[in-house]
Amino acid sequence: MSILAVIPARLQSTRFPDKPLVPLLGVPLVRRTALRVLESGRADEVVVSTDDERIAALVEDLPLEVDLDHRRYRSGSDRVAAVARRRSAEVIVNVQVDEVLVDGEMIDIALSSLEWADIGTVSVPLRACELTDPHVVKIALPSSEEGRVLDFARLVGASWEHAFVTAHAGIYAFGYDVLQRFARLSTGLREACSHLEQLRALDRGWPIFVGCLQRELVAVNIPEDAARAEQALAQESKRNNAQIACANASKGP
């Protein structure tokens, strides 16, 4: 099974203009996300698709392909579908550029979710402070942290009273044919109002399965998230360095 990972990186995000260019601990956001996807080793090919030469320049030295496409797309997944049409991968993973902490486990969960549905994605624990935050997308599930999705929304409504609510991570896995059919669908009212592309499929009855990543993530959705992401990256680096030091110490002199 050939796997293509695409990172759509549009310059003028509505909520955070120029976001891919923003440095996180000195490394531009788009480069951080691209490096994480490459380091995971899960994809046979990695592409950063962007509409801006400045973004392209930040990753052009990495072992990936840069797709410079100035056309406007309805969503990141529509941009990803265009990239996939020019390649021969069987499975496509859309990793949103926001996900600076993406790793192999997260990608594996999205891929394994395809066993149960047309589209696979990932949930993460929802913090109490995020429940009323419209920038954090929520998932309604029947009874646990994973399963077939009932709904996606930015704010929880009364219809979710009996649902299990968790947070959505910005990653999707599609088979090639499903992705192309998705890109041909018209935009529905709920997608247009909420800017949640996954509702285009869900509102037509397409099954979407979510697997659970059992740890909190920090995605960079708005400018205020950048500081939180830097803190999370610093903490992760500290943990990794401590593990390396411990492993070296156990080897002895």
Side-chain angles (χ1 to χ4, degrees), residues 193-204:
C193 292
S194 64
H195 301 288
L196 297 178
E197 63 213 69
Q198 59 271 41
L199 291 176
R200 192 188 315 169
L202 191 70
D203 288 352
R204 288 173 167 86

mmCIF file with all atom_site columns, all heavy atoms in Angstrom, residues 193-204:
data_model
loop_
_atom_site.group_PDB
_atom_site.id
_atom_site.type_symbol
_atom_site.label_atom_id
_atom_site.label_alt_id
_atom_site.label_comp_id
_atom_site.label_asym_id
_atom_site.label_entity_id
_atom_site.label_seq_id
_atom_site.pdbx_PDB_ins_code
_atom_site.Cartn_x
_atom_site.Cartn_y
_atom_site.Cartn_z
_atom_site.occupancy
_atom_site.B_iso_or_equiv
_atom_site.pdbx_formal_charge
_atom_site.auth_seq_id
_atom_site.auth_comp_id
_atom_site.auth_asym_id
_atom_site.auth_atom_id
_atom_site.pdbx_PDB_model_num
ATOM 1  N N   . CYS A 1 193 ? -20.944 27.340 6.650  1.00 0.00 ? 193 CYS A N   1
ATOM 2  C CA  . CYS A 1 193 ? -21.106 28.161 7.858  1.00 0.00 ? 193 CYS A CA  1
ATOM 3  C C   . CYS A 1 193 ? -19.988 27.953 8.865  1.00 0.00 ? 193 CYS A C   1
ATOM 4  O O   . CYS A 1 193 ? -19.557 28.901 9.536  1.00 0.00 ? 193 CYS A O   1
ATOM 5  C CB  . CYS A 1 193 ? -22.454 27.865 8.511  1.00 0.00 ? 193 CYS A CB  1
ATOM 6  S SG  . CYS A 1 193 ? -23.875 28.419 7.549  1.00 0.00 ? 193 CYS A SG  1
ATOM 7  N N   . SER A 1 194 ? -19.527 26.709 8.990  1.00 0.00 ? 194 SER A N   1
ATOM 8  C CA  . SER A 1 194 ? -18.560 26.391 10.047 1.00 0.00 ? 194 SER A CA  1
ATOM 9  C C   . SER A 1 194 ? -17.130 26.279 9.557  1.00 0.00 ? 194 SER A C   1
ATOM 10 O O   . SER A 1 194 ? -16.194 26.238 10.356 1.00 0.00 ? 194 SER A O   1
ATOM 11 C CB  . SER A 1 194 ? -18.945 25.069 10.712 1.00 0.00 ? 194 SER A CB  1
ATOM 12 O OG  . SER A 1 194 ? -18.851 24.005 9.769  1.00 0.00 ? 194 SER A OG  1
ATOM 13 N N   . HIS A 1 195 ? -16.941 26.223 8.230  1.00 0.00 ? 195 HIS A N   1
ATOM 14 C CA  . HIS A 1 195 ? -15.614 26.002 7.641  1.00 0.00 ? 195 HIS A CA  1
ATOM 15 C C   . HIS A 1 195 ? -14.999 24.701 8.145  1.00 0.00 ? 195 HIS A C   1
ATOM 16 O O   . HIS A 1 195 ? -13.801 24.646 8.444  1.00 0.00 ? 195 HIS A O   1
ATOM 17 C CB  . HIS A 1 195 ? -14.695 27.194 7.931  1.00 0.00 ? 195 HIS A CB  1
ATOM 18 C CG  . HIS A 1 195 ? -15.221 28.493 7.407  1.00 0.00 ? 195 HIS A CG  1
ATOM 19 N ND1 . HIS A 1 195 ? -15.253 28.808 6.057  1.00 0.00 ? 195 HIS A ND1 1
ATOM 20 C CD2 . HIS A 1 195 ? -15.776 29.550 8.052  1.00 0.00 ? 195 HIS A CD2 1
ATOM 21 C CE1 . HIS A 1 195 ? -15.790 30.009 5.894  1.00 0.00 ? 195 HIS A CE1 1
ATOM 22 N NE2 . HIS A 1 195 ? -16.124 30.477 7.084  1.00 0.00 ? 195 HIS A NE2 1
ATOM 23 N N   . LEU A 1 196 ? -15.827 23.661 8.216  1.00 0.00 ? 196 LEU A N   1
ATOM 24 C CA  . LEU A 1 196 ? -15.375 22.319 8.574  1.00 0.00 ? 196 LEU A CA  1
ATOM 25 C C   . LEU A 1 196 ? -15.609 21.421 7.369  1.00 0.00 ? 196 LEU A C   1
ATOM 26 O O   . LEU A 1 196 ? -16.733 20.999 7.103  1.00 0.00 ? 196 LEU A O   1
ATOM 27 C CB  . LEU A 1 196 ? -16.113 21.800 9.809  1.00 0.00 ? 196 LEU A CB  1
ATOM 28 C CG  . LEU A 1 196 ? -15.896 22.580 11.113 1.00 0.00 ? 196 LEU A CG  1
ATOM 29 C CD1 . LEU A 1 196 ? -16.729 21.983 12.229 1.00 0.00 ? 196 LEU A CD1 1
ATOM 30 C CD2 . LEU A 1 196 ? -14.418 22.600 11.492 1.00 0.00 ? 196 LEU A CD2 1
ATOM 31 N N   . GLU A 1 197 ? -14.543 21.128 6.641  1.00 0.00 ? 197 GLU A N   1
ATOM 32 C CA  . GLU A 1 197 ? -14.681 20.396 5.377  1.00 0.00 ? 197 GLU A CA  1
ATOM 33 C C   . GLU A 1 197 ? -15.227 18.986 5.557  1.00 0.00 ? 197 GLU A C   1
ATOM 34 O O   . GLU A 1 197 ? -15.886 18.435 4.671  1.00 0.00 ? 197 GLU A O   1
ATOM 35 C CB  . GLU A 1 197 ? -13.320 20.337 4.666  1.00 0.00 ? 197 GLU A CB  1
ATOM 36 C CG  . GLU A 1 197 ? -12.253 19.578 5.434  1.00 0.00 ? 197 GLU A CG  1
ATOM 37 C CD  . GLU A 1 197 ? -10.860 20.148 5.220  1.00 0.00 ? 197 GLU A CD  1
ATOM 38 O OE1 . GLU A 1 197 ? -10.596 21.272 5.701  1.00 0.00 ? 197 GLU A OE1 1
ATOM 39 O OE2 . GLU A 1 197 ? -10.046 19.455 4.597  1.00 0.00 ? 197 GLU A OE2 1
ATOM 40 N N   . GLN A 1 198 ? -14.968 18.372 6.727  1.00 0.00 ? 198 GLN A N   1
ATOM 41 C CA  . GLN A 1 198 ? -15.412 17.001 6.960  1.00 0.00 ? 198 GLN A CA  1
ATOM 42 C C   . GLN A 1 198 ? -16.938 16.878 6.959  1.00 0.00 ? 198 GLN A C   1
ATOM 43 O O   . GLN A 1 198 ? -17.487 15.800 6.716  1.00 0.00 ? 198 GLN A O   1
ATOM 44 C CB  . GLN A 1 198 ? -14.837 16.457 8.264  1.00 0.00 ? 198 GLN A CB  1
ATOM 45 C CG  . GLN A 1 198 ? -15.185 17.222 9.515  1.00 0.00 ? 198 GLN A CG  1
ATOM 46 C CD  . GLN A 1 198 ? -14.214 18.332 9.858  1.00 0.00 ? 198 GLN A CD  1
ATOM 47 O OE1 . GLN A 1 198 ? -13.755 19.052 8.982  1.00 0.00 ? 198 GLN A OE1 1
ATOM 48 N NE2 . GLN A 1 198 ? -13.885 18.471 11.143 1.00 0.00 ? 198 GLN A NE2 1
ATOM 49 N N   . LEU A 1 199 ? -17.645 17.983 7.204  1.00 0.00 ? 199 LEU A N   1
ATOM 50 C CA  . LEU A 1 199 ? -19.107 17.940 7.189  1.00 0.00 ? 199 LEU A CA  1
ATOM 51 C C   . LEU A 1 199 ? -19.643 17.714 5.772  1.00 0.00 ? 199 LEU A C   1
ATOM 52 O O   . LEU A 1 199 ? -20.773 17.245 5.607  1.00 0.00 ? 199 LEU A O   1
ATOM 53 C CB  . LEU A 1 199 ? -19.669 19.244 7.756  1.00 0.00 ? 199 LEU A CB  1
ATOM 54 C CG  . LEU A 1 199 ? -19.436 19.457 9.257  1.00 0.00 ? 199 LEU A CG  1
ATOM 55 C CD1 . LEU A 1 199 ? -19.941 20.826 9.679  1.00 0.00 ? 199 LEU A CD1 1
ATOM 56 C CD2 . LEU A 1 199 ? -20.095 18.367 10.087 1.00 0.00 ? 199 LEU A CD2 1
ATOM 57 N N   . ARG A 1 200 ? -18.863 18.024 4.761  1.00 0.00 ? 200 ARG A N   1
ATOM 58 C CA  . ARG A 1 200 ? -19.270 17.766 3.384  1.00 0.00 ? 200 ARG A CA  1
ATOM 59 C C   . ARG A 1 200 ? -19.544 16.275 3.174  1.00 0.00 ? 200 ARG A C   1
ATOM 60 O O   . ARG A 1 200 ? -20.492 15.895 2.481  1.00 0.00 ? 200 ARG A O   1
ATOM 61 C CB  . ARG A 1 200 ? -18.183 18.236 2.412  1.00 0.00 ? 200 ARG A CB  1
ATOM 62 C CG  . ARG A 1 200 ? -18.612 18.270 0.965  1.00 0.00 ? 200 ARG A CG  1
ATOM 63 C CD  . ARG A 1 200 ? -17.453 18.548 0.035  1.00 0.00 ? 200 ARG A CD  1
ATOM 64 N NE  . ARG A 1 200 ? -16.601 19.638 0.503  1.00 0.00 ? 200 ARG A NE  1
ATOM 65 C CZ  . ARG A 1 200 ? -15.420 19.933 -0.025 1.00 0.00 ? 200 ARG A CZ  1
ATOM 66 N NH1 . ARG A 1 200 ? -14.936 19.217 -1.030 1.00 0.00 ? 200 ARG A NH1 1
ATOM 67 N NH2 . ARG A 1 200 ? -14.695 20.933 0.451  1.00 0.00 ? 200 ARG A NH2 1
ATOM 68 N N   . ALA A 1 201 ? -18.716 15.439 3.797  1.00 0.00 ? 201 ALA A N   1
ATOM 69 C CA  . ALA A 1 201 ? -18.901 13.991 3.706  1.00 0.00 ? 201 ALA A CA  1
ATOM 70 C C   . ALA A 1 201 ? -19.912 13.489 4.732  1.00 0.00 ? 201 ALA A C   1
ATOM 71 O O   . ALA A 1 201 ? -20.820 12.716 4.412  1.00 0.00 ? 201 ALA A O   1
ATOM 72 C CB  . ALA A 1 201 ? -17.568 13.283 3.909  1.00 0.00 ? 201 ALA A CB  1
ATOM 73 N N   . LEU A 1 202 ? -19.784 13.956 5.967  1.00 0.00 ? 202 LEU A N   1
ATOM 74 C CA  . LEU A 1 202 ? -20.645 13.446 7.045  1.00 0.00 ? 202 LEU A CA  1
ATOM 75 C C   . LEU A 1 202 ? -22.114 13.745 6.771  1.00 0.00 ? 202 LEU A C   1
ATOM 76 O O   . LEU A 1 202 ? -22.991 12.890 7.004  1.00 0.00 ? 202 LEU A O   1
ATOM 77 C CB  . LEU A 1 202 ? -20.221 14.060 8.380  1.00 0.00 ? 202 LEU A CB  1
ATOM 78 C CG  . LEU A 1 202 ? -20.840 13.424 9.626  1.00 0.00 ? 202 LEU A CG  1
ATOM 79 C CD1 . LEU A 1 202 ? -20.263 12.033 9.853  1.00 0.00 ? 202 LEU A CD1 1
ATOM 80 C CD2 . LEU A 1 202 ? -20.596 14.299 10.851 1.00 0.00 ? 202 LEU A CD2 1
ATOM 81 N N   . ASP A 1 203 ? -22.420 14.918 6.267  1.00 0.00 ? 203 ASP A N   1
ATOM 82 C CA  . ASP A 1 203 ? -23.808 15.295 6.024  1.00 0.00 ? 203 ASP A CA  1
ATOM 83 C C   . ASP A 1 203 ? -24.431 14.539 4.858  1.00 0.00 ? 203 ASP A C   1
ATOM 84 O O   . ASP A 1 203 ? -25.652 14.598 4.659  1.00 0.00 ? 203 ASP A O   1
ATOM 85 C CB  . ASP A 1 203 ? -23.912 16.809 5.791  1.00 0.00 ? 203 ASP A CB  1
ATOM 86 C CG  . ASP A 1 203 ? -23.710 17.610 7.067  1.00 0.00 ? 203 ASP A CG  1
ATOM 87 O OD1 . ASP A 1 203 ? -23.636 16.988 8.134  1.00 0.00 ? 203 ASP A OD1 1
ATOM 88 O OD2 . ASP A 1 203 ? -23.622 18.855 6.986  1.00 0.00 ? 203 ASP A OD2 1
ATOM 89 N N   . ARG A 1 204 ? -23.616 13.826 4.115  1.00 0.00 ? 204 ARG A N   1
ATOM 90 C CA  . ARG A 1 204 ? -24.130 12.960 3.049  1.00 0.00 ? 204 ARG A CA  1
ATOM 91 C C   . ARG A 1 204 ? -24.140 11.494 3.472  1.00 0.00 ? 204 ARG A C   1
ATOM 92 O O   . ARG A 1 204 ? -24.343 10.599 2.643  1.00 0.00 ? 204 ARG A O   1
ATOM 93 C CB  . ARG A 1 204 ? -23.302 13.155 1.779  1.00 0.00 ? 204 ARG A CB  1
ATOM 94 C CG  . ARG A 1 204 ? -23.575 14.503 1.093  1.00 0.00 ? 204 ARG A CG  1
ATOM 95 C CD  . ARG A 1 204 ? -22.623 14.719 -0.059 1.00 0.00 ? 204 ARG A CD  1
ATOM 96 N NE  . ARG A 1 204 ? -23.039 15.827 -0.908 1.00 0.00 ? 204 ARG A NE  1
ATOM 97 C CZ  . ARG A 1 204 ? -22.722 17.095 -0.691 1.00 0.00 ? 204 ARG A CZ  1
ATOM 98 N NH1 . ARG A 1 204 ? -21.997 17.419 0.376  1.00 0.00 ? 204 ARG A NH1 1
ATOM 99 N NH2 . ARG A 1 204 ? -23.127 18.041 -1.511 1.00 0.00 ? 204 ARG A NH2 1
#
